[in-house]
Amino acid sequence: MHHIQHRTLIVGNWKMHLNVAQSSLLVHRLNQRIKAHRDVEVVLAPSLLALQPLSREIDRRKFRLASQNAYHKDEGAFTGEVSYTMLRGLIHYSIVSHSERRLYFNETLEVVRDKVTACVRNGIAPIVCVGETQEERRQGETKQVLHDQVTSALANLTADEVAGIVIAYEPVWAISTFGGEIAKPDDVAVALAYIREQVAGLYGDHVAASVRILYGGSVDENSVRGYLDVKGCDGALVGSASLNYHRFSSIVEKAHVLHS
Ligand code: PGA
């Protein structure tokens, strides 16, 4: 299938790590090591608390920000929540439906769809995480799970809107903190092609060629190139290795292939 070449997207998901001062320090260290590359887009997803200060500190030629979550209503009596509307202007992207949110915070397909819709309504590109659990994989249900997750998450979007989002294939069994089995690039290739096919079936070839699809799960400085070389892979979602500035800057360096 035809596929538009984008800048390689490298997303660091810091999860529930680093307070504001620690986040600033990590950005400072990354800034010293990472150069602006025209073929790589680097996105950092710190805690919600660190987004505002980091938005003032980052070099915008090198880094963009993402939230790890937010609430799907724009405003109202929802004690304790932060909305995508409030994050508008601070972030370019938001990770949605990460497997930890599905597992620990009961994010159902409906919740995910509402969040994806709210992101797009607020001018934020969702990074929609999909992927099967170990059990689903054993039962041979991977394709069905991916089909259901993709179809449901995008259901409220127009074709044009879908063309601008990001999908991250994250097999739950390959996430470092869930067991960290290493996914083979060949298996990743099959899953990415399947996801792109689903998008083509629902929204047409043109949209499928534009949508960016990432791989995530135990990506580090040694494995990243192998995943980025998978046909149709537009980048990587990095957890653990994104908290270490040596490792994350090395991942960005390996993603950079155009030498100007
Ligand atoms: P990992 O996490 O890189 O530590 O496996 C990836 C993720 O959970 O997004």
Side-chain angles (χ1 to χ4, degrees):
M1 186 185 296
H2 173 65
H3 169 232
I4 295 171
Q5 191 66 49
H6 297 275
R7 294 170 81 196
T8 300
L9 188 56
I10 302 292
V11 184
N13 174 12
W14 296 359
K15 306 193 178 181
M16 200 176 71
H17 295 285
L18 311 183
N19 63 25
V20 172
Q22 292 163 333
S23 298
S24 291
L25 186 60
L26 179 53
V27 162
H28 176 74
R29 299 261 191 258
L30 292 174
N31 191 51
Q32 290 175 323
R33 283 169 179 76
I34 292 175
K35 295 189 215 58
H37 293 304
R38 65 195 158 86
D39 61 335
V40 187
E41 179 177 354
V42 181
V43 176
L44 307 174
S47 76
L48 275 177
L49 203 57
L51 283 172
Q52 180 92 55
L54 290 193
S55 76
R56 289 190 291 262
E57 292 166 19
I58 54 168
D59 179 339
R60 285 160 194 263
R61 290 166 306 177
K62 296 186 188 176
F63 303 106
R64 285 179 161 174
L65 295 174
S67 73
Q68 300 171 19
N69 182 41
Y71 193 59
H72 66 277
K73 302 271 193 188
D74 289 344
E75 66 170 351
F78 302 103
T79 300
E81 294 301 306
V82 170
S83 69
Y84 292 104
T85 311
M86 292 169 175
L87 296 173
R88 213 188 165 113
L90 276 182
I91 58 175
H92 273 82
Y93 296 96
S94 180
I95 300 170
V96 180
S97 78
H98 190 279
S99 53
E100 287 151 19
R101 297 217 53 90
R102 285 185 260 134
L103 183 67
Y104 304 132
F105 303 97
N106 299 318
E107 287 196 3
T108 60
L109 293 175
E110 289 70 35
V111 172
V112 168
R113 179 190 311 160
D114 286 343
K115 290 191 179 197
V116 167
T117 313
C119 279
V120 171
R121 182 169 72 238
N122 285 288
I124 296 163
I127 300 171
V128 183
C129 301
V130 297
E132 77 286 2
T133 62
Q134 183 65 279
E135 183 55 26
E136 289 161 343
R137 181 190 185 205
R138 271 201 213 101
Q139 304 287 333
E141 294 168 356
T142 300
K143 286 194 168 175
Q144 188 60 46
V145 169
L146 293 178
H147 167 85
D148 293 350
Q149 289 174 338
V150 169
T151 310
S152 166
L154 311 185
N156 286 343
L157 305 184
T158 64
D160 275 354
E161 288 167 343
V162 172
I165 73 156
V166 181
I167 299 174
Y169 172 57
E170 293 214 312
V172 179
W173 46 270
I175 292 178
S176 62
T177 46
F178 284 145
E181 205 183 308
I182 302 304
K184 295 191 198 73
D186 284 351
D187 295 335
V188 172
V190 172
L192 297 196
Y194 182 75
I195 292 167
R196 210 176 283 284
E197 243 172 64
Q198 298 307 303
V199 176
L202 292 161
Y203 302 96
D205 287 351
H206 178 71
V207 172
S210 309
V211 76
R212 286 170 290 174
I213 309 184
L214 315 182
Y215 171 71
S218 300
V219 174
D220 66 15
E221 63 281 22
N222 301 312
S223 63
V224 67
R225 200 58 256 170
Y227 294 122
L228 295 180
D229 288 340
V230 165
K231 189 164 174 282
C233 181
D234 297 297
L237 179 49
V238 185
S240 311
S242 72
L243 292 166
N244 177 303
Y245 60 86
H246 292 290
R247 301 181 73 190
F248 193 66
S249 50
S250 163
I251 287 170
V252 172
E253 218 35 59
K254 291 195 172 149
H256 162 63
V257 288
L258 286 183
H259 295 280
S260 43

